[in-house]
């Protein structure tokens, strides 16, 4: 699979980011084997590829939950209650920022501005953005993710 | 040559088009502080200490700003000074302030800059990143808490040596210069060349020190402690002790070692002469017996490990000769022990080397042909300097003394092992005379000398035209070896040295080591060669006696057992 993805982007001037982005879709994170193979295919040092993968916050080199919850910590959300949202999530999920729940369902992260300041406080769950959050909306959202 | 004309601090200066503002300023004696910039290997404008005012909206990093016609540069205005100071204070805010116990105390670029800029208090109390030391290998210690993320080591590791082990990992406060997956160096294809140490402006990468072990051995009355000194240490120890680069201090070094308490002062140059006898014979044997050719030198332990990781197909081309350091160790605990009637268990062999890879080499499990670890401790030139300072030895006032016999006898051919091209030249001096039976008309092979990355020569030896090549730094060596692999180039004999300039530029040498300093050290090596009464390895009476009494002849069974070795394939990355 790595070879196929590398071939798809090889003619780009700097193909590494596109390759890693595509490959992360498979397991939700970049495994050691995948990174080593990318390095080999592109003739880059494994240290460099790992360096790039750990620099960008949207890449991960450790397994992530099925749902990645990113809480916006930019100023407008912060003023409108980011900390409450974050505390609620930490209590509910029993994890700290950067951690994944034991059942592998949720990973909790912080993010900079999502560009929806009008509906602050906002979070992102995988590719979807949710705004105007309060306790009720949040537990409804978590229940839906849990399939309840 | 196209020139541009600009003014810097009111002085007019003309420089070649493409010159940076930094270099233009330096050319007229204006000093601009730098940290991440390193001449010839790195200019990334990352640290922002070299800010100058070019009249633009923002201050510009002079190391990456190209000088333009009519440019008016100011390097010393309140705005510039203030900006630089803030940059430095921010770097200091994340750096431990433990200079007193740092091995780079008084030889640290950050410390010097803080002093030059008159830092008298820490304005910012910053987050101090916490990292574990990586010291799980015999040679190199990484202390990332001291790292200022200048990336010079990354440039030297990725581009100069192409070992490609170090790279910045993670982001922000978590950024750390480290191998793939933050692995310890000992689990990677790091060759321990120590070039990263030489370019580190602070104490974030240092050699693993064996000073305490050597002090302990010296004060143990049961132990007979012998020391060998590598060719490149006698022309650099003076520098470590505050003399100008290129100072030759052979005799003072011998005296100093004797005063430290070593029982015998011997010379790696003796073993270098012996290496020429063995390797020269190996070359002749391979030429007469259809290879495998080219024969490639094996004295540089960084190169050996590199070859084991990356060039499995060339392992058969490596000379089976051990490096001079290891030949010496094996002989000290056999031939010398026997001759002196000393139990080899009581002999401690210490090496003074310009090299950190030698620390790894001494620990290779196969280096025990004397039935003991052949070499016990390796000290770098820098470590010997530290011991001399600790012992209070006034180096400049020392008289000159001679090496001890028998393992201290040497020739000029042994001395030039310290320079790129030197092993080749020494081998040619001997191979020519052994093959033709005639005296060599001129001893100096200029074609293989100097700092050119890859050097080639053809030498008429009787009916044979010997094609030889020399490379130094592993980046240049890679270029040469790829041509050999593809069949584009064919040689009989290739010399590879891991470090730029050869051992005189080794990872254990005084800091700084720049090209300018390398040239001075090289000149000193050739001066020392010229000063020697004997300049050909086969003329070394000590080596002749060793063959007579002990080894019988080059490539004998005993030579093979004690002086030769074998290599293994290692993974590309670990």
């Amino acid at each position: 699979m790595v070879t196929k993805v590398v071939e798809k982007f090889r003619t780009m001037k700097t193909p590494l980011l596109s390759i890693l982005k595509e490959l992360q879709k498979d397991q939700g994170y970049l495994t050691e084997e995948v990174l080593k193979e990318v390095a080999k295919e592109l003739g880059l040092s494994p240290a460099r590829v790992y360096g790039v993968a750990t620099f960008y916050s949207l890449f991960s080199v450790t397994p992530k939950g099925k749902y990645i919850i990113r809480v916006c910590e930019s100023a407008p959300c912060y003023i409108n209650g980011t900390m409450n949202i974050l505390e609620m999530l930490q209590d509910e999920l029993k994890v700290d920022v950067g951690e994944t729940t034991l059942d592998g369902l949720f990973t909790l992260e912080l993010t900079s501005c999502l560009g929806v300041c009008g509906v602050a406080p906002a979070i992102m769950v995988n590719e979807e953005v949710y705004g105007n959050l309060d306790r009720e909306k949040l537990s409804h959202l978590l229940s839906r993710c849990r399939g309840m | 040559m196209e020139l541009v004309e600009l003014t810097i601090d009111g002085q007019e200066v003309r420089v070649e088009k493409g010159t940076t503002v930094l270099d233009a300023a330096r050319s007229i004696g204006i000093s601009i502080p730098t940290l991440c910039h390193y001449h010839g290997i790195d200019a990334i404008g990352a640290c922002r200490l070299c800010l100058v005012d070019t009249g633009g909206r923002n201050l510009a990093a002079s190391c990456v700003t190209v000088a333009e016609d009519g440019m008016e540069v100011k390097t010393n205005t309140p705005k510039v000074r203030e900006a630089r100071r803030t940059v430095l204070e921010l770097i200091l805010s994340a750096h431990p302030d433990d200079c007193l116990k740092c091995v780079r105390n008084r030889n640290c670029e950050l410390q010097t800059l803080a002093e030059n800029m008159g830092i008298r208090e820490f304005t910012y109390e910053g987050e101090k990143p916490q990292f574990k030391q990586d010291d799980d290998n015999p040679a190199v210690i990484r202390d990332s808490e001291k790292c200022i993320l200048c990336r010079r080591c990354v440039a030297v590791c990725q581009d100069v040596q192409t070992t490609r082990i170090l790279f910045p990992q993670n982001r922000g406060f978590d950024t750390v210069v480290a191998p793939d997956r933050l692995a310890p160096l000992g689990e990677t294809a790091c060759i321990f060349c120590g070039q990263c140490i030489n370019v580190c402006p602070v104490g974030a990468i240092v050699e693993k020190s064996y000073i305490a072990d050597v002090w302990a051995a010296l004060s143990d009355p049961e132990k007979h402690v012998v020391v060998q000194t590598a060719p490149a240490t006698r022309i650099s120890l003076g520098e470590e002790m505050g003399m100008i680069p290129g100072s030759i201090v052979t005799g003072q070094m011998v005296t100093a070692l004797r005063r430290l308490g070593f029982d015998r002062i011997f010379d790696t140059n003796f073993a270098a002469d012996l290496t020429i006898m063995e390797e020269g014979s190996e070359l002749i044997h391979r030429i007469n017996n259809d290879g495998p050719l080219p024969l490639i030198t094996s004295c540089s332990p960084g190169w050996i490990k590199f070859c084991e990781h990356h060039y499995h197909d060339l392992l058969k081309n490596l000379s089976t000769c051990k490096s001079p350091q290891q030949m010496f160790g094996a002989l000290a605990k056999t031939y010398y022990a026997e001759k002196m009637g000393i139990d080899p268990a009581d002999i401690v062999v210490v090496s003074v080397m310009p090299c950190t890879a030698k620390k790894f080499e001494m620990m290779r499990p196969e280096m025990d042909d004397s039935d003991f670890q052949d070499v016990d401790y390796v000290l770098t030139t820098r470590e010997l300097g530290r011991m001399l300072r600790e012992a209070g030895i006034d180096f400049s006032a020392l008289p000159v003394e001679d090496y001890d016999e028998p393992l201290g006898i040497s020739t000029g051919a042994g001395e030039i092992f310290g320079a790129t091209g030197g092993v080749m030249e020494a081998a040619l001096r001997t191979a020519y005379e052994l093959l033709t039976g005639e005296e060599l008309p001129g001893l100096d092979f200029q074609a293989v000398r100097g700092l050119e990355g890859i050097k080639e020569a053809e030498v008429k030896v009787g009916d044979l035209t010997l094609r030889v090549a020399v490379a130094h730094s592993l980046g240049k060596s890679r270029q040469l070896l790829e041509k050999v692999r593809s069949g584009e180039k064919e040689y009989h004999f290739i010399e590879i040295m891991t470090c730029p300039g050869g051992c005189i530029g080794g990872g254990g040498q005084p800091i700084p080591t720049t090209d300018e300093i390398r040239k001075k050290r090289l000149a000193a090596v050739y001066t020392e060669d010229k000063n020697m009464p004997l300049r050909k390895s086969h003329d070394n009476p000590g080596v002749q006696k060793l063959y007579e009494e002990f080894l019988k002849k080059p490539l004998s069974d005993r030579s093979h057992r004690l002086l030769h070795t074998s290599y293994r394939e290692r993974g590309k990355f670990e």
Side-chain angles (χ1 to χ4, degrees):
Chain A
M1 181 177 81
V2 171
T3 319
K4 231 172 104 185
V5 174
V6 170
E7 283 320 310
K8 187 171 156 195
F9 296 102
R10 193 185 281 283
T11 51
M12 288 173 68
K13 205 171 162 197
T14 51
L16 183 56
L17 289 183
S18 308
I19 290 169
L20 294 182
K21 195 171 161 224
E22 183 93 0
L23 286 170
Q24 183 163 278
K25 283 182 188 159
D26 184 41
Q27 299 198 40
Y29 76 106
L30 294 159
T31 63
E32 183 174 349
E33 294 68 39
V34 162
L35 289 174
K36 285 219 154 82
E37 228 176 305
V38 170
K40 201 173 141 201
E41 288 284 339
L42 292 177
L44 297 170
S45 68
R48 185 181 291 261
V49 173
Y50 188 77
V52 169
T54 53
F55 181 81
Y56 292 99
S57 56
L58 290 180
F59 290 136
S60 175
V61 294
T62 48
K64 291 251 166 138
K66 188 175 166 199
Y67 298 102
I68 301 170
I69 302 178
R70 297 189 171 94
V71 179
C72 178
E73 58 168 342
S74 293
C77 282
Y78 194 88
I79 291 166
N80 278 300
T82 291
M83 292 322 279
N84 297 338
I85 301 287
L86 192 61
E87 264 170 41
M88 263 183 249
L89 285 167
Q90 283 167 330
D91 284 352
E92 183 72 26
L93 302 176
K94 312 257 180 305
V95 289
D96 252 337
V97 173
E99 291 177 350
T100 300
T101 53
L102 285 176
D103 58 8
L105 210 49
F106 297 103
T107 299
L108 184 59
E109 290 182 355
L110 292 173
T111 175
S112 47
C113 187
L114 296 171
V116 292
C117 311
V119 294
I123 67 170
M124 202 169 151
V125 180
N126 292 349
E127 308 283 311
E128 292 291 320
V129 175
Y130 301 87
N132 287 327
L133 288 171
D134 52 27
R135 183 175 290 274
E136 205 179 321
K137 274 192 178 172
L138 200 60
S139 45
H140 186 62
L141 190 59
L142 292 181
S143 301
R144 261 187 27 218
C145 291
R146 285 177 171 136
M148 288 191 287
Chain B
M1 190 171 75
E2 206 179 329
L3 294 176
V4 294
E5 197 169 327
L6 64 161
T7 44
I8 305 177
D9 297 341
Q11 289 189 62
E12 280 180 17
V13 54
R14 293 172 70 178
V15 291
E16 198 177 335
K17 198 175 174 184
T19 305
T20 62
V21 170
L22 175 71
D23 286 338
R26 285 182 176 173
S27 75
I28 51 170
I30 294 173
S31 157
I32 294 175
T34 53
L35 264 181
C36 68
H37 176 268
Y38 198 89
H39 193 75
I41 66 162
D42 209 17
I44 52 174
C47 76
R48 316 309 285 178
L49 265 166
C50 66
L51 290 173
V52 295
D53 193 339
T54 57
R57 200 158 61 98
N58 296 320
L59 299 177
S62 60
C63 73
V64 288
T65 304
V66 175
E68 285 167 28
D69 245 335
M71 208 179 224
E72 284 188 26
V73 181
K74 293 195 177 80
T75 77
N76 183 24
T77 64
K79 187 179 168 191
V80 167
R81 283 199 304 272
E82 188 55 34
R84 286 182 189 163
R85 169 182 277 270
T86 304
V87 166
L88 184 65
E89 283 176 337
L90 286 170
I91 293 172
L92 291 173
S93 77
H95 188 80
D97 49 348
D98 58 357
C99 297
L100 276 180
K101 55 180 183 165
C102 179
V103 73
R104 291 290 296 274
N105 190 17
R106 299 171 67 219
N107 184 14
C108 168
E109 292 179 41
L110 188 63
Q111 196 183 44
T112 305
L113 283 174
E115 166 57 17
N116 288 351
M117 293 197 187
I119 301 288
R120 291 291 171 262
E121 59 186 339
F122 296 124
T123 314
Y124 309 110
E125 196 53 58
E127 180 110 359
K128 300 240 194 301
Q130 298 197 333
F131 296 105
K132 220 174 121 258
Q133 267 198 6
D134 172 12
D135 60 359
D136 199 13
N137 69 73
V140 175
I141 298 176
R142 291 189 312 114
D143 186 350
S144 296
E145 291 187 0
K146 291 183 181 161
C147 177
I148 57 164
L149 302 172
C150 72
R151 291 154 171 80
R152 284 182 188 174
C153 58
V154 175
V156 88
C157 189
Q158 294 277 338
D159 306 332
V160 177
Q161 296 297 55
T162 64
T163 34
R164 310 198 306 175
I165 304 299
L166 294 176
F167 201 78
Q169 314 292 350
N170 299 328
R171 183 173 186 149
F173 280 113
D174 298 326
T175 308
V176 57
V177 174
D180 181 32
R181 310 199 79 77
L182 313 182
L185 283 179
E187 291 173 17
T188 71
C190 172
I191 55 160
F192 305 115
C193 68
Q195 287 300 309
C196 51
I197 299 176
N198 284 11
V199 297
C200 183
V202 295
I205 315 185
V206 299
E207 71 265 68
K208 181 170 269 188
S209 177
Y210 294 87
I211 291 177
D213 305 86
V214 174
W215 281 133
L218 287 172
S219 60
D220 184 343
E222 304 294 313
K223 297 291 182 198
H224 183 79
V225 190
V226 305
V227 62
Q228 58 169 324
T229 63
T233 53
R234 71 205 64 195
I235 54 88
S236 62
L237 181 64
E239 203 177 314
E240 177 65 28
M241 301 307 287
M243 299 177 172
I244 57 166
S247 302
I248 300 173
V249 294
T250 317
Q252 292 93 319
M253 177 174 70
V254 171
T255 310
L257 288 165
R258 213 164 261 139
R259 292 195 183 175
L260 284 181
F262 287 99
D263 293 296
R264 289 290 183 281
I265 320 300
F266 290 140
D267 202 349
T268 314
N269 292 15
F270 172 92
D273 282 332
L274 182 62
T275 303
I276 290 300
M277 296 305 292
E278 292 291 324
E279 199 163 333
S281 306
E282 191 182 9
L283 176 64
I284 294 166
H285 179 82
R286 289 202 193 190
I287 289 173
N288 292 336
N289 293 277
D290 296 324
L293 291 171
L295 177 68
I296 309 179
T297 58
S298 58
C299 9
S300 183
W303 150 240
I304 294 300
K305 190 160 184 272
F306 189 74
C307 189
E308 289 178 325
H309 286 293
H310 302 289
Y311 287 93
H312 296 170
D313 53 320
L314 294 179
L315 287 174
K316 64 179 189 319
N317 294 78
L318 285 180
S319 164
T320 60
C321 287
K322 287 181 185 172
S323 72
Q325 147 162 300
Q326 294 303 139
M327 284 195 183
F328 178 92
L331 287 173
K333 293 190 181 180
T334 55
Y335 171 65
Y336 172 72
E338 230 174 276
K339 219 173 151 75
M340 300 290 290
I342 303 173
D343 182 351
D346 292 332
I347 296 182
V348 176
V349 176
V350 177
S351 306
V352 181
M353 293 282 145
C355 184
T356 45
K358 291 279 170 200
K359 292 174 187 270
F360 171 81
E361 184 185 45
M362 78 172 178
M363 301 286 267
R364 290 177 74 114
E366 68 272 23
M367 293 297 171
D368 64 347
D369 289 323
S370 65
D371 295 329
F372 299 91
Q373 184 177 314
D374 295 332
V375 173
D376 295 283
Y377 306 114
V378 172
L379 301 172
T380 60
T381 311
R382 296 187 293 261
E383 283 174 279
L384 177 58
R386 285 169 208 148
M387 288 182 75
L388 295 179
R389 287 190 286 270
E390 190 178 347
I393 291 175
D394 178 1
F395 198 73
S396 60
L398 285 181
V400 170
E401 291 181 10
D402 284 329
Y403 283 97
D404 289 308
E405 293 190 3
L407 304 181
I409 305 168
S410 72
T411 73
E415 173 56 22
I416 57 176
F417 266 59
T420 162
V423 177
M424 178 61 68
E425 184 168 346
L428 290 174
R429 289 179 190 176
T430 286
Y432 183 92
E433 298 202 352
L434 292 187
L435 274 170
T436 62
E438 290 165 23
E439 193 168 334
L440 195 59
L443 283 183
D444 299 344
F445 290 86
Q446 294 296 347
V448 294
R449 295 187 180 183
L451 279 181
E452 189 64 42
I454 298 174
K455 294 165 279 187
E456 293 177 283
E458 289 193 354
V459 184
K460 267 278 205 221
V461 183
D463 299 333
L464 177 74
T465 302
L466 207 58
R467 287 188 308 278
V468 303
V470 171
H472 58 113
S473 87
L474 291 175
K476 294 292 180 194
S477 301
R478 222 189 245 273
Q479 287 174 16
L480 176 66
L481 295 173
E482 288 306 325
K483 286 183 182 161
V484 170
R485 247 183 184 174
S486 70
E488 187 190 331
K489 292 277 187 181
E490 281 185 38
Y491 303 102
H492 294 97
F493 193 25
I494 297 176
E495 178 202 293
I496 304 276
M497 287 297 154
T498 305
C499 293
C503 308
I504 56 103
Q509 289 287 61
I511 297 171
T513 293
T514 61
D515 267 354
E516 207 177 309
I517 293 172
R518 284 188 187 96
K519 280 180 196 152
K520 289 179 181 156
R521 293 184 193 155
L522 284 174
V525 165
Y526 292 113
T527 306
E528 186 70 346
D529 167 34
K530 272 229 157 71
N531 289 342
M532 297 294 283
L534 297 173
R535 296 181 61 200
K536 291 176 277 193
S537 296
H538 54 284
D539 290 343
N540 182 328
V543 170
Q544 288 168 352
K545 201 163 172 198
L546 170 70
Y547 278 115
E548 219 174 277
E549 292 179 350
F550 190 68
L551 296 171
K552 304 308 168 203
K553 61 180 194 336
L555 309 183
S556 69
D557 285 350
R558 200 173 235 175
S559 294
H560 266 292
R561 190 170 70 74
L562 291 175
L563 309 182
H564 291 254
T565 187
S566 57
Y567 308 104
R568 74 183 75 155
E569 292 184 6
R570 297 176 194 260
K572 223 175 155 98
F573 302 121
E574 54 246 332

